Amino acid sequence: MTDKPVKVRIAPSPTGDPHVGTAYIALFNYAFARKMNGKFILRIEDTDQARSTQASEDAIIRSLRWLGLDWDEGPDVGGPSGPYKQSQRKQIYFEYAMKLVESGHAYPCFCTAERLEDLRRKQRLLKQKPMYDGKCRNIPKAEAASRMASGEPYVIRLAVPREGDSVVQDSLRGPVRFNNAEIDDQVLLKSDGFPTYHLANVVDDHLMGVTHVIRAEEWINSLPKHYLLYEAFGWEPPQFIHMPLLRNKDKSKISKRKNPVNIEYYRSIGILPQALLNFLGLMGYSMPDGREVFSLDEFVADFSFDRVSLGGPVFDVDKLMWLNGTYIRTLDDGQLLDLLQSEVFNTKRLAPIVPLLKERMRTLGDFVDGASFYFAHQVELPIAEVMRATKQRDPKETARYLKQFLKSLDNLPEFTNDALEAHMRTFCEESGLKTREFFMVVRLAITGRRASPPLVQSMTILGRAACAQRLRAAVETLNAYRPQ
Ligand code: GLU
C-alpha cells in the first residue's frame, strides 16, 4: 500500500467518437480521486498518428465536461506534469527508451518488415504464437550503436526474460501469473521515433506520479509488459485496478455493432448527463443500501472498490431509459423547460432542419410533426410500406441488404451529404438494387415514413450513431416479421 497522495488518470486515445466506456472509466477514476482527496489527470494518448484527430480529442473533452466530470490536470487545464498530450512528449520517450538500451533491458532491432512477415508466416504454419524470435537481441552493443548511428532504421524492443513467471497484482483479482516465455519482446519505440502505447503509458504514469491505474479489463494482458518495464526502470509500479468490461445484452464486449456507444448520441436523444453517470455508476457496482438512483456526490461519498463485482455489467439501454425518465421527473417544470430549450429547441439543432421542412409547411405548427423524427429516440418501421416498396420481397432478404449497408457505413470516412450520397449510390450498384427501392427502404427505416424531407441530409443531421441504431432496429424488425 502506498501512502503517497492518490493520483489517478484516464488516458483515452483520440481515435473516434467519444465512447461510453471512456466515461465509465472516467467516472470510477473521478470518484476514487475525489473520495481520497486526490488528483485526477486527463492524458491524451495520441501516439497512433494515423488514427488520432483533434476533432476526436475535442469531442472527448466536451462529452466528459457535459457529464459533469472535471479533472485537475490535463491538456486543457495544464498542470505540473505536462504536456498532457503524448505527441508533445516524443523526446521524453526516446530518452527513456535509450536508458533501457544502455542498461541492457532493451535492444535495437533492425529486422525488416519482410523478415518479420516471413517469420509470422512460418509461425502461423507451425501453429505457433506469433512472436519475435530475438534475432537482434544478441548483436554486440558496440555494433548495434554504430548501426543506429549510421542511420539504419530500427525499432527498440524490450528484452523480456526468457524463463520464469511474472506475477502481477490486480487489486480486484489478486495475483495473476504469466509465463515469461509467452511474452513477446515488445516494441517500445517505433522506427518513426514514436513510442508504442506500452512505453509511453508506463513512462507517463511514472513521471506524472500516478498511484492507481484504474482502467478497463481489456488492458490486463498488457500488465506483465508494464510490470517488466517498471522493473527495468527500477520504478515502483502503481496499483492496478481493471474494471469489468461493459457488455452488450448478449454478454459480448460492448460494441457499436450492437449498441450505440457514442456519448454524443445519448445526448442527442435527450439523455440527461446525471442519468447517464448514474447508469454508468451501476455498471459492476452497487451502493451499500442497494439503491439504484444516486447523484454523483452520493456516489463519491460512498465509493469503495470493495463494492465492484467482476461479473460483466450489461449496458442495458432500456434501463438507461427508465433511469432517465426518473431524472426527468425530479426536475421542476421550469428546469425542464430550460432543458428543452437548451438541448432540443435550440438554434444549433433547428437551423439545419428549417430549410428542409420549409417546403412542406403550410403553418408553423406543421414543423413539429415534420421534424419529430429528428428528435425521437426511435422510430417505428412501417412494415407494410417496406413490403410495398420491395414488391413483397422476403423481409429477411431486405434485412440482409440493410445489414450490409449498415456495416458498410463504418468504412465511410466522413459522414457528409456528398460522401453519403455517393456511398449509397455505389452500394446500390454493387448490390444490384434499384436506387428507388433502396432509398425508400432506408427512408422508412430512418424516418419511419414514406414522405420525408431529403433523406441524405436528414441522415447527416441525425448523425452516424443514430442512423446505425435505426437501421439496426429495422433489421431486427424485418427479421422478426412473419408475412401472413
Ligand atoms: N490509451 C489507452 C486507451 O485508449 C489507455 C489504457 C490505459 O488506461 O492504460 O484506453
Side-chain angles (χ1 to χ4, degrees):
M1 262 296 198
T2 167
D3 46 14
K4 280 187 277 182
V6 162
K7 231 178 182 195
V8 296
R9 77 339 181 244
I10 51 162
S13 297
T15 53
D17 294 328
H19 199 284
V20 287
T22 303
Y24 160 63
I25 296 298
L27 170 65
F28 281 79
N29 273 281
Y30 173 93
F32 184 61
R34 296 291 171 256
K35 171 88 190 183
M36 306 300 288
N37 285 320
K39 296 267 186 259
F40 176 33
I41 304 175
L42 168 66
R43 179 172 77 228
I44 297 292
E45 297 206 326
D46 57 348
T47 51
D48 185 341
Q49 285 291 285
R51 295 176 58 227
S52 299
T53 64
Q54 186 62 42
S56 169
E57 178 184 328
D58 294 345
I60 290 170
I61 293 180
R62 187 168 63 233
S63 305
L64 294 175
R65 290 226 176 273
W66 169 70
L67 282 169
L69 298 176
D70 54 19
W71 40 92
D72 308 291
E73 300 173 31
D76 54 340
V77 293
S81 315
Y84 293 92
K85 261 176 95 150
Q86 291 188 328
S87 57
Q88 295 167 359
R89 301 169 65 81
K90 220 174 136 186
Q91 187 55 30
I92 300 177
Y93 309 124
F94 179 79
E95 280 162 23
Y96 279 94
M98 290 310 149
K99 281 189 192 181
L100 291 185
V101 173
E102 247 152 64
S103 64
H105 291 96
Y107 60 94
C109 167
F110 303 94
C111 289
T112 59
E114 294 75 49
R115 175 173 190 273
L116 295 175
E117 185 39 50
D118 209 42
L119 181 65
R120 267 195 294 271
R121 211 180 30 243
K122 284 185 188 137
Q123 287 168 332
R124 262 200 306 272
L125 277 177
L126 296 171
K127 300 222 171 352
Q128 290 170 347
K129 195 170 167 188
M131 276 175 82
Y132 182 60
D133 61 356
K135 179 167 185 277
C136 293
R137 203 164 150 151
N138 300 319
I139 299 177
K141 260 191 170 179
E143 181 190 330
S146 80
R147 286 172 72 176
M148 285 160 83
S150 75
E152 189 174 338
Y154 63 89
V155 301
I156 301 292
R157 287 184 185 272
L158 182 62
V160 174
R162 289 286 158 77
E163 276 135 33
D165 288 343
S166 291
V167 181
V168 299
Q169 287 290 337
D170 174 273
S171 305
L172 297 177
R173 292 166 183 80
V176 189
R177 190 174 284 276
F178 288 87
N179 179 355
N180 289 339
E182 302 258 310
I183 306 172
D184 202 5
D185 277 5
Q186 177 65 48
V187 173
L188 302 177
L189 203 69
K190 296 180 268 187
S191 54
D192 60 3
F194 268 90
T196 55
Y197 155 69
H198 305 283
L199 177 69
N201 189 271
V202 165
V203 166
D204 283 351
D205 282 346
H206 176 74
L207 295 181
M208 294 178 180
V210 169
T211 57
H212 297 74
V213 169
I214 305 162
R215 63 184 169 195
E217 197 173 11
E218 61 190 324
W219 300 103
I220 203 160
N221 287 335
S222 301
L223 195 51
K225 290 175 185 170
H226 294 182
Y227 258 78
L228 289 169
L229 275 168
Y230 280 101
E231 213 169 86
F233 282 120
W235 296 336
E236 189 197 337
Q239 286 191 42
F240 289 94
I241 297 155
H242 289 88
M243 294 294 296
L245 278 186
L246 302 182
R247 308 214 165 248
N248 299 309
K249 265 194 176 159
D250 63 6
K251 288 276 176 180
S252 56
K253 174 184 162 186
I254 194 171
S255 70
K256 62 180 174 191
R257 297 229 179 287
K258 301 196 174 144
N259 257 321
V261 292
N262 180 349
I263 303 171
E264 296 197 314
Y265 163 80
Y266 289 101
R267 181 175 186 178
S268 79
I269 62 167
I271 295 293
L272 308 189
Q274 309 91 298
L276 184 52
L277 272 188
N278 186 158
F279 175 69
L280 292 170
L282 289 169
M283 297 286 109
Y285 192 81
S286 44
M287 289 295 257
D289 59 359
R291 74 185 188 283
E292 294 204 296
V293 182
F294 44 80
S295 69
L296 181 58
D297 287 346
E298 289 166 344
F299 184 63
V300 169
D302 278 328
F303 188 76
S304 161
F305 278 110
D306 294 343
R307 280 192 297 280
V308 172
S309 79
L310 292 177
V314 174
F315 193 94
D316 176 355
V317 179
D318 294 332
K319 174 120 190 205
L320 172 60
M321 292 298 155
W322 164 78
L323 202 54
N324 202 52
T326 309
Y327 273 86
I328 288 183
R329 277 174 283 289
T330 63
L331 301 173
D332 65 39
D333 295 350
Q335 288 170 318
L336 182 53
L337 181 59
D338 285 347
L339 211 50
L340 286 168
Q341 273 168 346
S342 63
E343 288 293 316
V344 183
F345 300 106
N346 65 46
T347 308
K348 189 162 167 256
R349 286 194 84 175
L350 295 181
I353 303 174
V354 165
L356 302 186
L357 279 189
K358 195 168 158 189
E359 300 310 318
R360 344 186 118 246
M361 287 163 58
R362 292 152 308 157
T363 69
L364 297 180
D366 283 346
F367 184 83
V368 178
D369 179 48
S372 64
F373 75 89
Y374 293 106
F375 300 95
H377 150 228
Q378 53 196 13
V379 297
E380 202 172 320
L381 182 74
I383 197 115
E385 296 290 357
V386 176
M387 296 308 286
R388 189 171 321 148
T390 58
K391 305 219 166 51
Q392 310 300 318
R393 184 203 300 272
D394 181 350
K396 289 209 163 36
E397 279 290 312
T398 312
R400 198 166 307 142
Y401 74 65
L402 269 190
K403 198 169 173 177
Q404 258 171 18
F405 173 58
L406 170 62
K407 230 168 138 186
S408 74
L409 286 180
D410 281 349
N411 304 328
L412 189 63
E414 280 186 52
F415 206 67
T416 55
N417 292 338
D418 290 349
L420 180 59
E421 168 112 35
H423 178 74
M424 287 172 75
R425 294 197 181 277
T426 315
F427 182 85
C428 278
E429 260 165 50
E430 286 174 357
S431 359
L433 287 165
K434 291 210 173 69
T435 352
R436 204 184 142 93
E437 172 189 323
F438 177 69
F439 274 69
M440 179 51 87
V441 171
V442 174
R443 183 188 307 281
L444 292 166
I446 298 288
T447 70
R449 29 186 113 171
R450 280 197 77 200
S452 77
L455 178 61
V456 171
Q457 281 98 315
S458 297
M459 287 175 77
T460 56
I461 289 172
L462 276 162
R464 200 193 290 259
C467 291
Q469 175 60 9
R470 289 182 190 191
L471 290 167
R472 195 161 36 232
V475 169
E476 270 172 31
T477 308
L478 286 166
N479 277 331
Y481 180 66
R482 303 273 169 276
Q484 304 305 317

PDB file of all heavy atoms in Angstrom, residues 9-13 43 45 197 201 205 213-215 218-219 226, ligand 1:
ATOM      1  N   ARG A   9      -5.650   8.654 -13.332  1.00  0.00           N
ATOM      2  CA  ARG A   9      -5.738   9.288 -14.659  1.00  0.00           C
ATOM      3  C   ARG A   9      -6.656   8.481 -15.558  1.00  0.00           C
ATOM      4  O   ARG A   9      -6.869   7.295 -15.361  1.00  0.00           O
ATOM      5  CB  ARG A   9      -4.350   9.452 -15.244  1.00  0.00           C
ATOM      6  CG  ARG A   9      -3.576   8.291 -15.854  1.00  0.00           C
ATOM      7  CD  ARG A   9      -3.899   6.922 -15.509  1.00  0.00           C
ATOM      8  NE  ARG A   9      -3.102   5.908 -16.124  1.00  0.00           N
ATOM      9  CZ  ARG A   9      -3.575   4.982 -16.991  1.00  0.00           C
ATOM     10  NH1 ARG A   9      -4.833   4.976 -17.351  1.00  0.00           N
ATOM     11  NH2 ARG A   9      -2.786   4.056 -17.460  1.00  0.00           N
ATOM     12  N   ILE A  10      -7.182   9.145 -16.557  1.00  0.00           N
ATOM     13  CA  ILE A  10      -7.705   8.401 -17.695  1.00  0.00           C
ATOM     14  C   ILE A  10      -6.832   8.807 -18.873  1.00  0.00           C
ATOM     15  O   ILE A  10      -6.298   9.917 -18.918  1.00  0.00           O
ATOM     16  CB  ILE A  10      -9.191   8.650 -18.025  1.00  0.00           C
ATOM     17  CG1 ILE A  10      -9.493  10.127 -18.122  1.00  0.00           C
ATOM     18  CG2 ILE A  10     -10.088   7.934 -17.060  1.00  0.00           C
ATOM     19  CD1 ILE A  10     -10.787  10.396 -18.861  1.00  0.00           C
ATOM     20  N   ALA A  11      -6.701   7.874 -19.814  1.00  0.00           N
ATOM     21  CA  ALA A  11      -5.730   8.093 -20.885  1.00  0.00           C
ATOM     22  C   ALA A  11      -6.341   7.717 -22.231  1.00  0.00           C
ATOM     23  O   ALA A  11      -5.860   6.828 -22.912  1.00  0.00           O
ATOM     24  CB  ALA A  11      -4.489   7.258 -20.584  1.00  0.00           C
ATOM     25  N   PRO A  12      -7.442   8.389 -22.603  1.00  0.00           N
ATOM     26  CA  PRO A  12      -8.098   7.986 -23.855  1.00  0.00           C
ATOM     27  C   PRO A  12      -7.253   8.274 -25.091  1.00  0.00           C
ATOM     28  O   PRO A  12      -6.463   9.218 -25.108  1.00  0.00           O
ATOM     29  CB  PRO A  12      -9.372   8.836 -23.878  1.00  0.00           C
ATOM     30  CG  PRO A  12      -9.091   9.998 -22.994  1.00  0.00           C
ATOM     31  CD  PRO A  12      -8.123   9.519 -21.949  1.00  0.00           C
ATOM     32  N   SER A  13      -7.436   7.434 -26.097  1.00  0.00           N
ATOM     33  CA  SER A  13      -6.819   7.671 -27.394  1.00  0.00           C
ATOM     34  C   SER A  13      -7.852   8.377 -28.270  1.00  0.00           C
ATOM     35  O   SER A  13      -8.961   7.871 -28.423  1.00  0.00           O
ATOM     36  CB  SER A  13      -6.421   6.346 -28.043  1.00  0.00           C
ATOM     37  OG  SER A  13      -5.462   5.726 -27.237  1.00  0.00           O
ATOM     38  N   ARG A  43      -5.111  12.503 -19.653  1.00  0.00           N
ATOM     39  CA  ARG A  43      -3.945  12.459 -20.551  1.00  0.00           C
ATOM     40  C   ARG A  43      -4.415  11.942 -21.905  1.00  0.00           C
ATOM     41  O   ARG A  43      -5.154  10.964 -21.972  1.00  0.00           O
ATOM     42  CB  ARG A  43      -2.895  11.523 -19.962  1.00  0.00           C
ATOM     43  CG  ARG A  43      -1.664  11.408 -20.841  1.00  0.00           C
ATOM     44  CD  ARG A  43      -0.557  10.639 -20.158  1.00  0.00           C
ATOM     45  NE  ARG A  43      -0.782   9.209 -20.154  1.00  0.00           N
ATOM     46  CZ  ARG A  43      -0.653   8.420 -19.087  1.00  0.00           C
ATOM     47  NH1 ARG A  43      -0.322   8.931 -17.918  1.00  0.00           N
ATOM     48  NH2 ARG A  43      -0.873   7.133 -19.178  1.00  0.00           N
ATOM     49  N   GLU A  45      -3.686  10.080 -25.199  1.00  0.00           N
ATOM     50  CA  GLU A  45      -2.704   9.138 -25.747  1.00  0.00           C
ATOM     51  C   GLU A  45      -2.841   9.089 -27.275  1.00  0.00           C
ATOM     52  O   GLU A  45      -3.537   8.236 -27.820  1.00  0.00           O
ATOM     53  CB  GLU A  45      -2.866   7.757 -25.110  1.00  0.00           C
ATOM     54  CG  GLU A  45      -2.599   7.827 -23.609  1.00  0.00           C
ATOM     55  CD  GLU A  45      -2.113   6.532 -22.966  1.00  0.00           C
ATOM     56  OE1 GLU A  45      -2.534   5.452 -23.409  1.00  0.00           O
ATOM     57  OE2 GLU A  45      -1.339   6.610 -22.012  1.00  0.00           O
ATOM     58  N   TYR A 197       2.197   2.283 -27.207  1.00  0.00           N
ATOM     59  CA  TYR A 197       1.350   2.500 -26.037  1.00  0.00           C
ATOM     60  C   TYR A 197       2.073   2.113 -24.745  1.00  0.00           C
ATOM     61  O   TYR A 197       2.073   2.865 -23.762  1.00  0.00           O
ATOM     62  CB  TYR A 197       0.055   1.687 -26.219  1.00  0.00           C
ATOM     63  CG  TYR A 197      -0.641   1.322 -24.935  1.00  0.00           C
ATOM     64  CD1 TYR A 197      -1.261   2.290 -24.152  1.00  0.00           C
ATOM     65  CD2 TYR A 197      -0.670  -0.006 -24.496  1.00  0.00           C
ATOM     66  CE1 TYR A 197      -1.892   1.953 -22.966  1.00  0.00           C
ATOM     67  CE2 TYR A 197      -1.303  -0.348 -23.312  1.00  0.00           C
ATOM     68  CZ  TYR A 197      -1.902   0.628 -22.543  1.00  0.00           C
ATOM     69  OH  TYR A 197      -2.522   0.293 -21.382  1.00  0.00           O
ATOM     70  N   ASN A 201       2.814   4.857 -21.938  1.00  0.00           N
ATOM     71  CA  ASN A 201       1.889   4.731 -20.824  1.00  0.00           C
ATOM     72  C   ASN A 201       2.644   4.590 -19.492  1.00  0.00           C
ATOM     73  O   ASN A 201       2.340   5.271 -18.510  1.00  0.00           O
ATOM     74  CB  ASN A 201       1.017   3.503 -21.131  1.00  0.00           C
ATOM     75  CG  ASN A 201      -0.149   3.344 -20.200  1.00  0.00           C
ATOM     76  OD1 ASN A 201      -0.011   2.704 -19.172  1.00  0.00           O
ATOM     77  ND2 ASN A 201      -1.287   3.913 -20.546  1.00  0.00           N
ATOM     78  N   ASP A 205       2.828   7.409 -16.624  1.00  0.00           N
ATOM     79  CA  ASP A 205       2.235   7.138 -15.307  1.00  0.00           C
ATOM     80  C   ASP A 205       3.280   7.385 -14.218  1.00  0.00           C
ATOM     81  O   ASP A 205       2.978   7.945 -13.164  1.00  0.00           O
ATOM     82  CB  ASP A 205       1.702   5.695 -15.236  1.00  0.00           C
ATOM     83  CG  ASP A 205       0.356   5.568 -15.950  1.00  0.00           C
ATOM     84  OD1 ASP A 205      -0.262   6.614 -16.245  1.00  0.00           O
ATOM     85  OD2 ASP A 205      -0.086   4.435 -16.230  1.00  0.00           O
ATOM     86  N   VAL A 213      -3.738   2.848 -11.236  1.00  0.00           N
ATOM     87  CA  VAL A 213      -4.183   2.806 -12.629  1.00  0.00           C
ATOM     88  C   VAL A 213      -5.519   2.082 -12.654  1.00  0.00           C
ATOM     89  O   VAL A 213      -5.595   0.883 -12.378  1.00  0.00           O
ATOM     90  CB  VAL A 213      -3.143   2.070 -13.506  1.00  0.00           C
ATOM     91  CG1 VAL A 213      -3.715   1.776 -14.883  1.00  0.00           C
ATOM     92  CG2 VAL A 213      -1.870   2.909 -13.628  1.00  0.00           C
ATOM     93  N   ILE A 214      -6.567   2.845 -12.934  1.00  0.00           N
ATOM     94  CA  ILE A 214      -7.916   2.255 -12.970  1.00  0.00           C
ATOM     95  C   ILE A 214      -8.339   2.277 -14.431  1.00  0.00           C
ATOM     96  O   ILE A 214      -8.513   3.354 -15.021  1.00  0.00           O
ATOM     97  CB  ILE A 214      -8.890   3.102 -12.121  1.00  0.00           C
ATOM     98  CG1 ILE A 214      -8.353   3.258 -10.699  1.00  0.00           C
ATOM     99  CG2 ILE A 214     -10.289   2.473 -12.131  1.00  0.00           C
ATOM    100  CD1 ILE A 214      -8.995   4.409  -9.928  1.00  0.00           C
ATOM    101  N   ARG A 215      -8.423   1.118 -15.045  1.00  0.00           N
ATOM    102  CA  ARG A 215      -8.729   1.094 -16.469  1.00  0.00           C
ATOM    103  C   ARG A 215      -9.537  -0.154 -16.787  1.00  0.00           C
ATOM    104  O   ARG A 215      -9.789  -0.984 -15.915  1.00  0.00           O
ATOM    105  CB  ARG A 215      -7.439   1.143 -17.288  1.00  0.00           C
ATOM    106  CG  ARG A 215      -6.548  -0.048 -17.063  1.00  0.00           C
ATOM    107  CD  ARG A 215      -5.228   0.091 -17.824  1.00  0.00           C
ATOM    108  NE  ARG A 215      -4.292  -0.926 -17.402  1.00  0.00           N
ATOM    109  CZ  ARG A 215      -2.988  -0.904 -17.657  1.00  0.00           C
ATOM    110  NH1 ARG A 215      -2.467   0.085 -18.355  1.00  0.00           N
ATOM    111  NH2 ARG A 215      -2.208  -1.867 -17.229  1.00  0.00           N
ATOM    112  N   GLU A 218      -9.779  -4.894 -20.588  1.00  0.00           N
ATOM    113  CA  GLU A 218      -9.129  -5.302 -21.841  1.00  0.00           C
ATOM    114  C   GLU A 218      -7.622  -5.051 -21.823  1.00  0.00           C
ATOM    115  O   GLU A 218      -6.896  -5.559 -22.658  1.00  0.00           O
ATOM    116  CB  GLU A 218      -9.761  -4.597 -23.032  1.00  0.00           C
ATOM    117  CG  GLU A 218      -9.632  -3.104 -22.957  1.00  0.00           C
ATOM    118  CD  GLU A 218     -10.468  -2.393 -24.015  1.00  0.00           C
ATOM    119  OE1 GLU A 218     -10.581  -2.904 -25.122  1.00  0.00           O
ATOM    120  OE2 GLU A 218     -11.010  -1.316 -23.696  1.00  0.00           O
ATOM    121  N   TRP A 219      -7.147  -4.265 -20.849  1.00  0.00           N
ATOM    122  CA  TRP A 219      -5.707  -3.960 -20.801  1.00  0.00           C
ATOM    123  C   TRP A 219      -4.942  -4.916 -19.905  1.00  0.00           C
ATOM    124  O   TRP A 219      -3.716  -4.795 -19.771  1.00  0.00           O
ATOM    125  CB  TRP A 219      -5.491  -2.509 -20.340  1.00  0.00           C
ATOM    126  CG  TRP A 219      -6.150  -1.552 -21.262  1.00  0.00           C
ATOM    127  CD1 TRP A 219      -7.330  -0.897 -21.051  1.00  0.00           C
ATOM    128  CD2 TRP A 219      -5.728  -1.187 -22.586  1.00  0.00           C
ATOM    129  NE1 TRP A 219      -7.662  -0.143 -22.150  1.00  0.00           N
ATOM    130  CE2 TRP A 219      -6.687  -0.305 -23.103  1.00  0.00           C
ATOM    131  CE3 TRP A 219      -4.620  -1.519 -23.372  1.00  0.00           C
ATOM    132  CZ2 TRP A 219      -6.594   0.256 -24.367  1.00  0.00           C
ATOM    133  CZ3 TRP A 219      -4.510  -0.969 -24.633  1.00  0.00           C
ATOM    134  CH2 TRP A 219      -5.492  -0.095 -25.120  1.00  0.00           C
ATOM    135  N   HIS A 226       3.928  -4.178 -18.664  1.00  0.00           N
ATOM    136  CA  HIS A 226       4.069  -2.947 -17.882  1.00  0.00           C
ATOM    137  C   HIS A 226       4.891  -3.201 -16.620  1.00  0.00           C
ATOM    138  O   HIS A 226       5.769  -2.425 -16.264  1.00  0.00           O
ATOM    139  CB  HIS A 226       2.690  -2.379 -17.543  1.00  0.00           C
ATOM    140  CG  HIS A 226       1.947  -1.927 -18.769  1.00  0.00           C
ATOM    141  ND1 HIS A 226       0.710  -1.344 -18.755  1.00  0.00           N
ATOM    142  CD2 HIS A 226       2.298  -1.985 -20.080  1.00  0.00           C
ATOM    143  CE1 HIS A 226       0.333  -1.071 -19.995  1.00  0.00           C
ATOM    144  NE2 HIS A 226       1.282  -1.459 -20.804  1.00  0.00           N
TER     145      HIS A 226
HETATM  146  N1  GLU B   1      -4.819   4.733 -24.414  1.00  0.00           N
HETATM  147  C1  GLU B   1      -5.423   3.635 -23.736  1.00  0.00           C
HETATM  148  C2  GLU B   1      -6.911   3.690 -24.066  1.00  0.00           C
HETATM  149  O1  GLU B   1      -7.227   4.147 -25.104  1.00  0.00           O
HETATM  150  C3  GLU B   1      -5.171   3.735 -22.259  1.00  0.00           C
HETATM  151  C4  GLU B   1      -5.293   2.474 -21.490  1.00  0.00           C
HETATM  152  C5  GLU B   1      -4.830   2.691 -20.078  1.00  0.00           C
HETATM  153  O2  GLU B   1      -5.563   3.324 -19.320  1.00  0.00           O
HETATM  154  O3  GLU B   1      -3.719   2.284 -19.743  1.00  0.00           O
HETATM  155  O4  GLU B   1      -7.792   3.296 -23.352  1.00  0.00           O
END
